[in-house]
């Protein structure tokens, strides 16, 4: 389902009833096909199945799959112009017969308008999914095998550097920061490096958190992560083949407190080639680190929470650069905050409570994902009920917002199993996450029925009041001509 209806060319026949039921209701003066038959037909088949069962697209209704069949499957939930659903989900794990993933994935975009998605499997291997332009088709591979890399833990980070090289950064099971790189050598394109070992001369640290990377024109490729002692650490790629990476304890240079979770790095909003890194402390304080050499320190730290009187936050931040930079995080009570930062000095900074604007809380301590769009930005978050909520803000200064429950759509219908990661590809928002299983049967039946009404699939009587529509036609009861 949805089913494909046959086209009938016989002479129009009056459809006095629809499967023996009463005439359809009228909405706004138009004839609307009744959906009771659809719901009853679905119910008659599905109620014989176990209560947790659900049907993947293309399956036989009489043989529904169990929720466990899709746990950990990597989903690409993309915005759509299809009238029956504003969001469409593609199961990349099933599509490529790949292993399930664990936790959040890393996502990057190539110059050719393709996506590179990397996730960790249950056995510690890193699986890569690479799309064609516009994400029309996908291929997959095992980076751990191809790059002869150690086993991974946590969630990886991936970037495509300005030269087109794909770089995947991850924490090994021994706590080292590692990289798997594609140098585009046709005979052996993937290889791995231990960045903690390579920076031993500069006291490169082991890490305790997931890495985040920045690699843009005008900026050296730099990886930030939480060190084992809670310091913000940076690993920067150099032009020296003898010492390709160097390590810096950013927290020590900035005289800053220890951090928790995963930091995020973006070009600083001032536009002077600086880097701004945002992180959260154990006390729920949002901190900004910048390499502005302020006060004779190469790095400085500023208390964003104090400057804006923010409530305690407990999710790792995400950010988009610009004028202003927008940083998102979640309070301990589940309020999604969007913090506007026009300068690294925090002058003119402000905050919007997106949850209050749309009356939708999100899961506390779960990172959200923000991505710029043609008009403003969107934020993808999971709720305490494991639904995917997508917040839309038209401009960085807008005082209003909207939200969609992307899980409760007829072409998605799966719970969120990891923190969602959003990216904009050619004007289409893609949200990558792993599945926590299907919605229950009753919501899925209702979503299917609702998707067929006059506002979605435009199912209606033609002509109005005739009781002739695609459903009655499919059962030989009428015509849609």
């Amino acid at each position: 389902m949805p089913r494909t209806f046959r086209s009938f060319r016989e002479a129009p026949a009056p459809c006095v009833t629809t499967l023996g039921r009463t005439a359809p209701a009228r909405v706004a003066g138009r004839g609307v096909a009744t959906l009771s038959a659809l719901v009853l037909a679905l119910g008659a088949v599905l109620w014989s199945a176990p209560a947790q069962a659900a049907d993947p697209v293309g399956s036989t209704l009489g043989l529904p799959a169990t929720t466990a069949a899709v746990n950990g499957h990597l989903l690409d939930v993309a915005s759509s112009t299809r009238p029956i659903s504003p969001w469409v989900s593609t199961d990349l794990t099933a599509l490529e017969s790949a292993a399930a993933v664990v936790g959040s994935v890393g996502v990057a975009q190539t110059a050719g308008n393709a996506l590179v998605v990397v996730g960790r499997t249950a056995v510690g291997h890193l699986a890569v999914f690479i799309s064609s332009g516009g994400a029309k088709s996908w291929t997959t591979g095992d980076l751990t095998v191809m790059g002869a890399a150690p086993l991974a833990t946590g969630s990886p980070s991936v970037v495509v550097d300005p030269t087109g090289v794909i770089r995947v950064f991850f924490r090994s099971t021994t706590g080292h920061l590692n990289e798997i790189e594609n140098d585009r050598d046709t005979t052996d394109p993937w290889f791995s490096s231990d960045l903690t070992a390579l920076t031993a001369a500069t006291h490169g640290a082991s890490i305790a958190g997931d890495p985040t990377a920045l690699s843009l024109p005008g900026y050296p490729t730099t990886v930030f992560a939480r060190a084992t002692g809670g310091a913000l650490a940076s690993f920067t790629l150099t032009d020296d083949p003898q010492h390709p990476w160097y390590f810096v304890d950013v927290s020590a240079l900035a005289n800053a407190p220890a951090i928790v979770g995963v930091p995020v790095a973006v070009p600083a909003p001032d536009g002077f080639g600086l880097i701004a890194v945002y992180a959260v402390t154990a006390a729920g304080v949002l901190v900004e680190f910048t390499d502005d050499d302020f006060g004779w320190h190469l790095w400085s730290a500023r208390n964003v929470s104090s400057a804006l009187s923010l409530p305690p936050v407990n999710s790792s931040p995400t950010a988009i650069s610009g004028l202003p930079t927008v940083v998102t995080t979640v309070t301990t009570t589940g309020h999604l905050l969007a913090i506007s930062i026009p300068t690294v000095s925090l002058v003119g900074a402000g905050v919007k409570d997106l949850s209050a604007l749309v009356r939708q809380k999100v899961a506390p301590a779960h990172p959200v994902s923000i991505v710029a769009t043609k008009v403003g930005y969107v934020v993808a978050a999971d709720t305490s009920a494991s639904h995917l909520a997508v917040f839309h803000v038209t401009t960085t200064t807008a005082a209003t917002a909207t939200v969609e429950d992307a899980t409760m759509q007829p072409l998605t219908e799966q719970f969120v199993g990891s923190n969602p990661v959003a990216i904009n590809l050619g004007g289409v928002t893609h949200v990558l996450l792993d599945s926590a299983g299907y919605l229950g049967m009753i919501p899925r039946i209702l979503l299917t029925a609702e998707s067929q009404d006059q506002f979605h699939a435009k199912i209606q009587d033609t002509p109005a009041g005739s009781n002739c529509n695609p459903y009655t036609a499919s059962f030989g009861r009428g015509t849609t001509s």
Side-chain angles (χ1 to χ4, degrees), residues 240-464:
D240 185 352
Q242 299 301 316
H243 302 283
W245 291 87
Y246 72 86
F247 164 82
V248 168
D249 185 331
V250 175
S251 292
L253 291 177
N255 192 27
I259 66 170
V260 296
V262 183
V264 62
V266 291
D270 300 87
F272 298 120
L274 303 179
I275 297 175
V277 183
Y278 299 92
V280 172
T281 71
V285 174
L286 179 65
V287 179
E288 175 194 71
F289 296 83
T290 53
D291 55 344
D292 57 359
D293 208 13
F294 180 78
W296 307 104
H297 292 280
L298 177 61
W299 283 87
S300 59
R302 296 175 178 85
N303 188 323
V304 180
S305 291
S306 177
L308 297 176
S309 300
L310 301 181
V313 298
N314 64 354
S315 81
S316 299
T318 57
I320 54 172
S321 62
L323 292 172
T325 289
V326 180
V327 182
T328 52
T329 186
V330 181
T331 70
T332 54
T333 57
H335 281 245
L336 171 58
L337 304 181
I339 300 146
S340 174
I341 303 178
T343 64
V344 294
S345 64
L346 304 181
V347 173
V351 60
K352 282 197 292 261
D353 186 335
L354 299 186
S355 290
L357 288 177
V358 299
R359 299 181 177 273
Q360 174 64 66
K361 288 186 176 183
V362 299
H366 289 210
V368 300
S369 183
I370 183 172
V371 61
T373 62
K374 292 181 179 179
V375 285
Y377 59 86
V378 301
V379 183
D382 60 313
T383 69
S384 295
S386 297
H387 284 216
L388 174 59
V390 182
F391 296 75
H392 300 259
V393 182
T394 54
T395 68
T396 55
T397 58
T400 59
T402 59
V403 67
E404 288 180 298
D405 186 334
T407 295
M408 292 297 291
Q409 303 294 337
L411 298 182
T412 52
E413 300 179 345
Q414 294 186 50
F415 291 116
V416 177
S418 67
N419 302 321
V421 180
I423 192 167
N424 186 282
L425 186 67
V428 177
T429 299
H430 292 256
V431 183
L432 284 300
L433 53 92
D434 66 307
S435 171
Y438 294 109
L439 293 172
M441 281 192 299
I442 293 176
R444 296 194 73 222
I445 292 171
L446 294 176
L447 284 172
T448 300
E450 185 181 66
S451 73
Q452 302 299 299
D453 69 12
Q454 74 274 22
F455 297 115
H456 297 85
K458 309 272 191 294
I459 301 299
Q460 60 192 41
D461 290 351
T462 306

Side-chain angles (χ1 to χ4, degrees), residues 11 14 17 223 231 441:
T17 60
V223 187
M441 281 192 299

